[in-house]
Amino acid sequence: MTDACIRAVVESIHSSPTQAVLYLSGGASLALGLLMSVPGASNTVLEAVVPYSRMSMIQLLAKIPAKYCSQQTADEMALLAYNRALKLSSPGSPVLGVGFTGSLATTRPKQGDHRFHLSTRTSDRHWASTVTLSKGLRSRDQEEKVSSYFLLKAIANACKVSSTFDSELTESDVVADECERFFDEDKELEQLINGQICFKVYPFSSDKSNGDRKIILPGSFNPLHDGHLKLLEAATSICGDGYPCFELSAINADKPPLSIPQIKERVMQFEKIGKTIIISNQPYFYKKAELFPGSAFVIGADTAVRLINPKYYDGSYDRMIETLSGCKRTGCTFIVAGRKVDGTFKVLEDFDVPEVLKDMFVPIPAERFRMDISSTEIRRSCGL
């Protein structure tokens, strides 16, 4: 095998649109070096974390694993990496989560097997495999090389890139428990509602992103109407750069979760007009800020007045300040359009925003956008 062959595969990975987060423990360090040493790594690698110590792994998983080196742990790492990749990726890019945990040769003889467990997760596929290496056949460096090549081939496969090099396994090594599961759209949405994945992007828009920042208009979109479209357009013109998209939460704070058919029906509205929609599982803005750090959220004045009302924070002004300051620290802002509040048209300037939060709230002048229309009124006029 030549270095040129490996390099060609890594170049193909970097040329693919897939963006990845890798969580590696106990081996395969060479794979990370190979990915990072070839130009274009920033196209692929969003983040790489090596939770090597016991406490590091516990903090990553937010629990003590039953076994640190196991297929279950690798699967959990891959799912965490996938969700992290969703948060860090460019809008609409396919993402990949990689989990690897190994027990390879070390300075002292091991009583158990020399083995590693690998898991990859994309939006529609989970692949996993366990490899037991022939004990005593290789040095640590050689086991690192084998595990790294095996991991690199798995990443190439997940990126839909051909990998022609040999992972250098022998007949005495055992590849076992290899499994592959595919998820259709319904299964993905079920996982979202259940909290396994944090959001799903439908990148219907052909617009090119002017940066990683998202300009997000949340709503129920029941139905989507011209006011939504013009509001996001006005907000985007004020922000100057960013990727405009709509966001629908499958979870409602006061009502049952949306059903999968309901979600798909509302998504269809955006497909027809070629606009990107994100389905999340977070109805609260402080949680949305964690999901979409650095984003600009487009809201109406009626929502803004609720955001700064201590009533919605158990009556505590301090808790309101603390919660919104947390959103501010993520880099989030609120782009506020005028809206009827209690029958009167109000703009941001009509409300007393606390001084410490004022720079979070950016008004949309009424001359740039005003449309007194709502989905509720449309449903009522249609007798729905």
Side-chain angles (χ1 to χ4, degrees), residues 155-200:
I155 292 173
N157 190 24
C159 293
K160 300 178 181 177
V161 166
S162 175
S163 57
T164 56
F165 64 88
D166 181 12
S167 59
E168 300 191 3
L169 292 172
T170 68
E171 290 183 357
S172 59
D173 301 316
V174 178
V175 180
D177 302 326
E178 187 167 338
C179 70
E180 186 174 37
R181 290 183 295 147
F182 290 92
F183 312 116
D184 60 14
E185 182 184 8
D186 285 13
K187 188 64 178 177
E188 284 184 75
L189 292 173
E190 180 185 321
Q191 292 173 348
L192 186 145
I193 293 169
N194 292 338
Q196 292 173 269
I197 61 175
C198 55
F199 61 85
K200 175 176 172 57

Side-chain angles (χ1 to χ4, degrees), residues 57-69:
M57 182 67 80
I58 290 172
Q59 289 189 27
L60 175 69
L61 300 177
K63 68 175 185 179
I64 299 175
K67 290 184 178 180
Y68 287 84
C69 182

Side-chain angles (χ1 to χ4, degrees), residues 10 31 54 244 279:
V10 175
R54 178 176 174 272
I279 312 300

Side-chain angles (χ1 to χ4, degrees), residues 299 304 307-308 324 334 336 348 353 357-363:
I299 61 175
L307 279 175
I308 59 174
L324 292 180
F334 297 103
V336 185
L348 178 64
V353 179
L357 302 174
K358 277 189 175 179
D359 58 346
M360 280 186 74
F361 292 81
V362 179

Side-chain angles (χ1 to χ4, degrees), residues 20 51 57 63 89 100 133 158 163 169 200 252 256 274 312 316 343-344 366:
M57 182 67 80
K63 68 175 185 179
S89 61
F100 176 99
L133 300 172
S163 57
L169 292 172
K200 175 176 172 57
N252 191 296
Y312 297 98
S316 171
T344 303

